[in-house]
Amino acid sequence: MGKIRLITILMAWMALAVSVQAQTDRQHVRRGNQLFRKGDYAKAALEYQKALSVNEGNTQAIYNLGVTALQQGNDSLAVKQFETAGKMEPNKFRKAQAYHNIGVVMQAHRQYGEAIEAYKEALRNNPADDETRYNLVLCKRQQKQDQQDQQNQQNQQNQDKDKNKDQNKDQNKNKDKQDQDKQEKDPQPQQQQMSQENAERLLDAAIQEEKRTQDKLQKAMQLPQRKSLQKNW
């Protein structure tokens, strides 16, 4: 019996300690909520952090830190806090709120896939949430439109590439035609050809002339020589 009493007394002390601890972190949460309503988000976040230092499993403090982070423009921190609260929170209604907020943030950043999954998780925990259901339908439409816009943009880029290729081909054809026309109009190759032909004709003429000269010399050498007269002194 003494042992049972001892256990009973020990359990009573533990319950009292948990009660005091719970009251302490709840007090920080209440103080943080008051500061939040006044718009003092930095001090409110500090109170929520104090609550977590006392009880790291206080999902209300975790969730409220996410809302405070949103007000301060830190969306990534807010999503992290909502995810933690959603995983830890046993109450389905609060869990649904956490995932609903994740969906809103993701949708605002056009991350529609993540937003859709968050909305679905919210509806699994609270199927009666019409606002989440509306957001889910809207997000799916936005995702479809975004995908269509991306496809149209890709098609336009492909068309521009094909157009540039055709333009390059046309430019190359025009350049080849211009080069061909220039070669046809350019008299330089013809002049070079004519000069070579003239040189060959002149050479042939010179050879013929030299041959005729040689023939004349040979004929002259074959004629009889006259004797010279010698005079007396």
Side-chain angles (χ1 to χ4, degrees):
M1 294 295 295
K3 187 176 182 181
I4 294 175
R5 288 179 180 175
L6 180 61
I7 293 176
T8 303
I9 294 172
L10 180 59
M11 291 178 64
W13 276 103
M14 290 176 63
L16 179 61
V18 171
S19 177
V20 173
Q21 184 184 43
Q23 288 178 2
T24 303
D25 64 88
R26 284 201 299 267
Q27 287 175 354
H28 285 300
V29 170
R30 285 197 295 269
R31 176 60 180 162
N33 291 344
Q34 292 173 357
L35 292 168
F36 183 90
R37 285 192 291 269
K38 293 180 180 179
D40 197 344
Y41 304 121
K43 290 184 179 179
L46 183 60
E47 290 296 327
Y48 298 141
Q49 290 169 355
K50 288 179 180 179
L52 290 174
S53 66
V54 176
N55 178 15
E56 62 181 9
N58 190 318
T59 55
Q60 186 178 1
I62 297 172
Y63 177 88
N64 288 354
L65 266 176
V67 178
T68 304
L70 277 182
Q71 294 296 329
Q72 294 176 307
N74 194 340
D75 291 0
S76 60
L77 176 60
V79 170
K80 183 178 179 181
Q81 296 299 126
F82 293 143
E83 287 177 343
T84 303
K87 292 176 182 178
M88 295 176 59
E89 176 59 53
N91 183 282
K92 286 185 173 296
F93 180 78
R94 290 186 176 182
K95 186 186 289 286
Q97 287 182 320
Y99 285 106
H100 173 91
N101 286 356
I102 294 173
V104 171
V105 176
M106 293 293 99
Q107 188 174 1
H109 286 276
R110 302 174 66 89
Q111 298 181 16
Y112 300 121
E114 292 85 345
I116 289 172
E117 292 304 317
Y119 288 141
K120 287 181 178 179
E121 186 63 27
L123 288 172
R124 291 188 189 102
N125 290 276
N126 184 15
D129 190 347
D130 291 334
E131 183 180 356
T132 298
R133 185 172 290 102
Y134 172 82
N135 286 0
L136 176 60
V137 173
L138 177 62
C139 192
K140 287 182 177 180
R141 290 181 181 178
Q142 290 175 326
Q143 182 186 46
K144 185 176 181 180
Q145 182 62 46
D146 190 63
Q147 291 173 347
Q148 184 64 41
D149 292 341
Q150 290 178 358
Q151 184 62 43
N152 292 339
Q153 184 178 6
Q154 184 64 40
N155 293 339
Q156 184 62 43
Q157 290 177 352
N158 293 335
Q159 290 177 1
D160 292 341
K161 288 181 181 179
D162 293 339
K163 184 177 180 181
N164 291 334
K165 288 181 180 179
D166 293 338
Q167 289 179 348
N168 291 333
K169 289 181 179 179
D170 293 339
Q171 290 177 355
N172 291 333
K173 288 181 179 179
N174 292 333
K175 185 176 183 302
D176 294 340
K177 189 175 184 305
Q178 290 175 356
D179 293 341
Q180 184 178 359
D181 293 342
K182 183 178 179 181
Q183 290 178 357
E184 291 176 354
K185 294 179 179 179
D186 191 357
Q188 186 64 27
Q190 186 176 2
Q191 289 180 354
Q192 291 179 353
Q193 184 177 2
M194 292 296 295
S195 298
Q196 185 176 358
E197 291 177 356
N198 290 335
E200 290 177 356
R201 284 199 296 268
L202 290 174
L203 179 61
D204 291 340
I207 292 173
Q208 293 296 329
E209 182 66 24
E210 183 178 1
K211 185 178 180 180
R212 286 194 292 271
T213 303
Q214 291 293 335
D215 292 341
K216 289 180 180 180
L217 289 174
Q218 288 179 0
K219 289 180 180 180
M221 291 177 64
Q222 291 176 0
L223 293 175
Q225 298 291 328
R226 294 182 181 182
K227 294 180 179 179
S228 59
L229 295 175
Q230 293 181 357
K231 292 181 181 179
N232 293 330
W233 288 91

